[in-house]
Amino acid sequence: MIPVQDVEGQTIAVLGLGRSGLSAAKALAAGGAQVLVWDDGATGRAAAEAEGWELRDLTGAGAFEGVALLVVSPGIPHLYPHPHAAIANALRAGVPVDNDIGLFFRSWATEDWDQFSGMPKVVAVTGSNGKSTTSALIHHVLRSVGRPVQLAGNIGRGVLDIDPAEDHSVVVLELSSYQTELARAITPDVAVFTNLTPDHLDRHGGMGGYFAAKRRLFAEGGPDRAVVGVDEPEGLFLAGQLAVGPGDDRVIRVSSGQKLDGPGWSVFARKGFLSEYRKSRQIGSIDLRAIPGLPGAHNHQNACAAYAACRALGLGPRQIEAGFADFAGLPHRSQIVAEAGGVRWVNDSKATNVDSAAKALQAFDRIRWICGGLEKEGGLDALHPHLGRVVKAYVIGREAEGFALRLGPGAEAEVCETMEVAVARAHAEAASGETVLLAPAAASFDQYDSFEKRGEDFIARVTALTD
């Protein structure tokens, strides 16, 4: 645990009692704060009270009298589409609002660091797609070379649940826009921006607010190195804002699909080969095509970002390549579930938006595609250029018929509604050399509690048919 610093004797309120909220409450108490907690759900409140936490309804009048700080869990809106009643109360009372990420950055460094021969580092990864795989890949490579490393934030452990720093250690944080937008302190040593595509727009008041939330990691964080994906206009703009000139190697530009020119530092992948250039000279390369844990152009972009971050931490190209070689990938992200009868079964349940599903479709040929769910705003038009790879779509979800119609005439589609039916139909029709791909292009909440539960259902049904 990381006890929160400079809170001794203060009364601090915590709103939201999920994983991050409870870990924040414990870390605040360990730092000497008097902690008040609240959750909108009766179950969460009852569990907290059973553990001995003091409850206070933060939505009521006078709730913030004597309170020095409100700590908010990431799923709770603080501005758009409208602030939670408790947050509005705090702001009216002049009480600052923070989250567990802000508490971590203000508490991570301690006096013990004076005895270290090498300073601990924090690598923070954000972006719309690929940040989980990029974070996990950085973590894996660092472990493979024996560097003390922990993975936390939006993946792995809660950020305040990790162990205190040790000599030369690294913390890799995956950070969502919800986390970067609200954290009052946010100072990583290396910051990574993977890409930007429309998502969570209701929470950020549109695309500009969404980009602004991601940009805080760089503009306010002041990292020593910034790794920036430049395949979208926002990333290209961000890299330009951070660099003081063309040769500024504090910014490492990364791309999947285009060669990056210029005197600066860049890492890019083309036709399955990763290349590193610095001062207009190639200084490293990796053949990514044979690495099973990194299939497709979207994973090659993740590999470029992870490679650049590891290089910024001082690792050599061959060390990184060795770490890539045995990376198994993450569950629910281009995860190979089974290969039977010449048919490959791939679970990409994390492809919850159109852009991530499009990238999954580009990674394979001759696809039998399981898709559908709670459709997000923006429509399905961005999928149409990739439907030539799809032999047939098997559509699930409560609105499966409408989803199938919006795919248009470019894809044969069967309305299956449930995962059970979709997997059974794909199994009956798939031929050798084809891939059955779960890449829903939609949220899971019409049928499942999470994308993980959706992916687990897919795995269980595939396993039952192929074992």
Side-chain angles (χ1 to χ4, degrees), residues 253-444:
R253 292 168 171 82
V254 302
S255 173
S256 175
Q258 60 174 317
K259 181 178 180 179
L260 299 178
D261 298 312
W265 196 352
S266 62
V267 180
F268 58 88
R270 294 182 69 197
K271 298 181 180 180
F273 288 87
L274 178 152
S275 298
E276 177 188 4
Y277 274 72
R278 200 167 184 179
K279 298 180 179 178
S280 301
R281 295 179 58 231
Q282 184 172 359
I283 58 174
S285 65
I286 297 175
D287 184 351
L288 300 173
R289 295 172 300 174
I291 299 176
L294 296 169
H298 61 305
N299 274 311
H300 294 174
Q301 183 186 56
N302 300 335
C304 288
Y307 178 98
C310 290
R311 290 288 283 141
L313 293 170
L315 274 64
R318 297 287 76 82
Q319 291 177 301
I320 300 170
E321 182 177 16
F324 281 6
D326 60 1
F327 178 65
L330 288 177
H332 316 299
R333 298 162 178 86
S334 298
Q335 176 190 11
I336 298 174
V337 173
E339 294 193 41
V343 177
R344 178 185 298 172
W345 296 78
V346 178
N347 167 27
D348 204 336
S349 184
K350 184 61 170 64
T352 59
N353 60 44
V354 166
D355 183 74
S356 55
K359 288 175 177 171
L361 290 175
Q362 293 174 68
F364 306 98
D365 294 308
R366 299 174 60 192
I367 299 167
R368 294 191 178 270
W369 178 32
I370 300 178
C371 57
L374 189 61
E375 190 177 338
K376 296 185 177 181
E377 61 182 274
L380 304 178
D381 290 353
L383 294 169
H384 293 168
H386 312 295
L387 295 181
R389 296 172 177 267
V390 176
V391 177
K392 184 176 178 180
Y394 304 82
V395 187
I396 63 174
R398 294 179 186 172
E399 303 296 330
E401 186 172 349
F403 193 102
L405 288 172
R406 283 186 288 281
L407 290 176
E412 179 185 354
E414 179 176 341
V415 174
C416 297
E417 295 187 352
T418 68
M419 186 71 74
E420 179 181 14
V421 173
V423 170
R425 295 292 298 140
H427 181 259
E429 297 181 351
S432 179
E434 295 180 344
T435 296
V436 180
L437 171 67
L438 171 65
S444 60

Side-chain angles (χ1 to χ4, degrees), residues 90-268:
L91 296 174
R92 282 192 291 266
V95 173
V97 180
D98 205 349
N99 61 15
D100 61 332
I101 303 302
L103 298 181
F104 166 79
F105 277 108
R106 68 187 259 185
S107 306
W108 176 234
T110 65
E111 292 180 356
D112 296 342
W113 289 24
D114 292 339
Q115 311 305 316
F116 292 163
S117 61
M119 286 295 98
K121 302 289 185 182
V122 176
V123 179
V125 181
T126 196
S128 297
N129 300 307
K131 55 185 180 292
S132 295
T133 297
T134 300
S135 300
L137 186 54
I138 296 167
H139 175 260
H140 176 79
V141 172
L142 290 169
R143 283 186 61 189
S144 73
V145 299
R147 190 89 172 257
V149 60
Q150 300 180 78
L151 182 64
N154 215 36
I155 186 175
R157 302 164 70 181
V159 68
L160 293 169
D161 286 334
I162 67 173
D163 301 324
E166 56 183 289
D167 206 354
H168 287 283
S169 64
V170 179
V171 172
V172 182
L173 299 180
E174 181 200 331
L175 299 181
S176 72
S177 56
Y178 298 171
Q179 293 167 311
T180 58
E181 184 174 48
L182 195 58
R184 295 176 68 87
I186 186 166
T187 53
D189 299 282
V190 179
V192 179
F193 176 91
T194 58
N195 50 56
L196 197 78
T197 58
D199 208 358
H200 310 305
L201 300 188
D202 59 331
R203 272 292 299 270
H204 299 295
M207 197 68 176
Y210 181 43
F211 176 52
K214 302 286 190 186
R215 183 180 175 275
R216 287 192 76 242
L217 182 63
F218 302 83
E220 299 186 32
D224 296 331
R225 295 272 192 224
V227 176
V228 181
V230 296
D231 288 335
E232 292 84 32
E234 293 86 356
L236 194 61
F237 176 76
L238 177 61
Q241 281 202 311
L242 296 173
V244 298
D248 186 355
D249 65 3
R250 295 173 303 167
V251 179
I252 309 176
R253 292 168 171 82
V254 302
S255 173
S256 175
Q258 60 174 317
K259 181 178 180 179
L260 299 178
D261 298 312
W265 196 352
S266 62
V267 180
F268 58 88

